[in-house]
PDB file of all heavy atoms in Angstrom:
ATOM      1  N   ALA A 103     -52.122 -30.303  12.962  1.00  0.00           N
ATOM      2  CA  ALA A 103     -52.258 -28.894  13.334  1.00  0.00           C
ATOM      3  C   ALA A 103     -52.774 -28.054  12.172  1.00  0.00           C
ATOM      4  O   ALA A 103     -52.857 -26.820  12.275  1.00  0.00           O
ATOM      5  CB  ALA A 103     -50.920 -28.351  13.824  1.00  0.00           C
ATOM      6  N   GLY A 104     -53.124 -28.702  11.050  1.00  0.00           N
ATOM      7  CA  GLY A 104     -53.667 -27.987   9.893  1.00  0.00           C
ATOM      8  C   GLY A 104     -52.632 -27.279   9.065  1.00  0.00           C
ATOM      9  O   GLY A 104     -52.922 -26.236   8.456  1.00  0.00           O
ATOM     10  N   LYS A 105     -51.402 -27.829   9.014  1.00  0.00           N
ATOM     11  CA  LYS A 105     -50.313 -27.188   8.274  1.00  0.00           C
ATOM     12  C   LYS A 105     -49.809 -28.108   7.161  1.00  0.00           C
ATOM     13  O   LYS A 105     -48.941 -28.960   7.398  1.00  0.00           O
ATOM     14  CB  LYS A 105     -49.175 -26.840   9.221  1.00  0.00           C
ATOM     15  CG  LYS A 105     -49.574 -25.829  10.303  1.00  0.00           C
ATOM     16  CD  LYS A 105     -48.400 -25.508  11.213  1.00  0.00           C
ATOM     17  CE  LYS A 105     -48.794 -24.468  12.250  1.00  0.00           C
ATOM     18  NZ  LYS A 105     -47.666 -24.112  13.143  1.00  0.00           N
ATOM     19  N   PRO A 106     -50.347 -27.985   5.949  1.00  0.00           N
ATOM     20  CA  PRO A 106     -49.878 -28.813   4.823  1.00  0.00           C
ATOM     21  C   PRO A 106     -48.367 -28.711   4.650  1.00  0.00           C
ATOM     22  O   PRO A 106     -47.781 -27.628   4.779  1.00  0.00           O
ATOM     23  CB  PRO A 106     -50.621 -28.221   3.627  1.00  0.00           C
ATOM     24  CG  PRO A 106     -51.872 -27.649   4.220  1.00  0.00           C
ATOM     25  CD  PRO A 106     -51.449 -27.103   5.553  1.00  0.00           C
ATOM     26  N   THR A 107     -47.743 -29.841   4.346  1.00  0.00           N
ATOM     27  CA  THR A 107     -46.283 -29.945   4.330  1.00  0.00           C
ATOM     28  C   THR A 107     -45.835 -30.744   3.115  1.00  0.00           C
ATOM     29  O   THR A 107     -46.411 -31.789   2.801  1.00  0.00           O
ATOM     30  CB  THR A 107     -45.798 -30.636   5.620  1.00  0.00           C
ATOM     31  OG1 THR A 107     -46.226 -29.856   6.749  1.00  0.00           O
ATOM     32  CG2 THR A 107     -44.290 -30.780   5.639  1.00  0.00           C
ATOM     33  N   ALA A 108     -44.794 -30.262   2.442  1.00  0.00           N
ATOM     34  CA  ALA A 108     -44.278 -30.942   1.252  1.00  0.00           C
ATOM     35  C   ALA A 108     -43.277 -32.016   1.642  1.00  0.00           C
ATOM     36  O   ALA A 108     -42.569 -31.899   2.645  1.00  0.00           O
ATOM     37  CB  ALA A 108     -43.626 -29.935   0.314  1.00  0.00           C
ATOM     38  N   CYS A 109     -43.212 -33.064   0.815  1.00  0.00           N
ATOM     39  CA  CYS A 109     -42.238 -34.135   0.992  1.00  0.00           C
ATOM     40  C   CYS A 109     -41.601 -34.466  -0.356  1.00  0.00           C
ATOM     41  O   CYS A 109     -42.269 -34.412  -1.389  1.00  0.00           O
ATOM     42  CB  CYS A 109     -42.900 -35.409   1.533  1.00  0.00           C
ATOM     43  SG  CYS A 109     -43.534 -35.267   3.209  1.00  0.00           S
ATOM     44  N   GLN A 110     -40.310 -34.797  -0.311  1.00  0.00           N
ATOM     45  CA  GLN A 110     -39.641 -35.366  -1.480  1.00  0.00           C
ATOM     46  C   GLN A 110     -39.711 -36.875  -1.348  1.00  0.00           C
ATOM     47  O   GLN A 110     -39.403 -37.425  -0.290  1.00  0.00           O
ATOM     48  CB  GLN A 110     -38.191 -34.914  -1.564  1.00  0.00           C
ATOM     49  CG  GLN A 110     -37.454 -35.438  -2.803  1.00  0.00           C
ATOM     50  CD  GLN A 110     -36.016 -34.979  -2.862  1.00  0.00           C
ATOM     51  OE1 GLN A 110     -35.712 -33.839  -2.495  1.00  0.00           O
ATOM     52  NE2 GLN A 110     -35.128 -35.846  -3.308  1.00  0.00           N
ATOM     53  N   VAL A 111     -40.111 -37.568  -2.426  1.00  0.00           N
ATOM     54  CA  VAL A 111     -40.360 -39.008  -2.335  1.00  0.00           C
ATOM     55  C   VAL A 111     -39.828 -39.734  -3.565  1.00  0.00           C
ATOM     56  O   VAL A 111     -39.508 -39.129  -4.584  1.00  0.00           O
ATOM     57  CB  VAL A 111     -41.873 -39.298  -2.188  1.00  0.00           C
ATOM     58  CG1 VAL A 111     -42.451 -38.614  -0.952  1.00  0.00           C
ATOM     59  CG2 VAL A 111     -42.640 -38.870  -3.441  1.00  0.00           C
ATOM     60  N   GLY A 112     -39.774 -41.062  -3.453  1.00  0.00           N
ATOM     61  CA  GLY A 112     -39.470 -41.918  -4.588  1.00  0.00           C
ATOM     62  C   GLY A 112     -40.731 -42.287  -5.335  1.00  0.00           C
ATOM     63  O   GLY A 112     -41.799 -42.445  -4.741  1.00  0.00           O
TER      64      GLY A 112
END
Side-chain angles (χ1 to χ4, degrees):
K105 297 180 178 181
T107 300
C109 293
Q110 182 180 322
V111 301

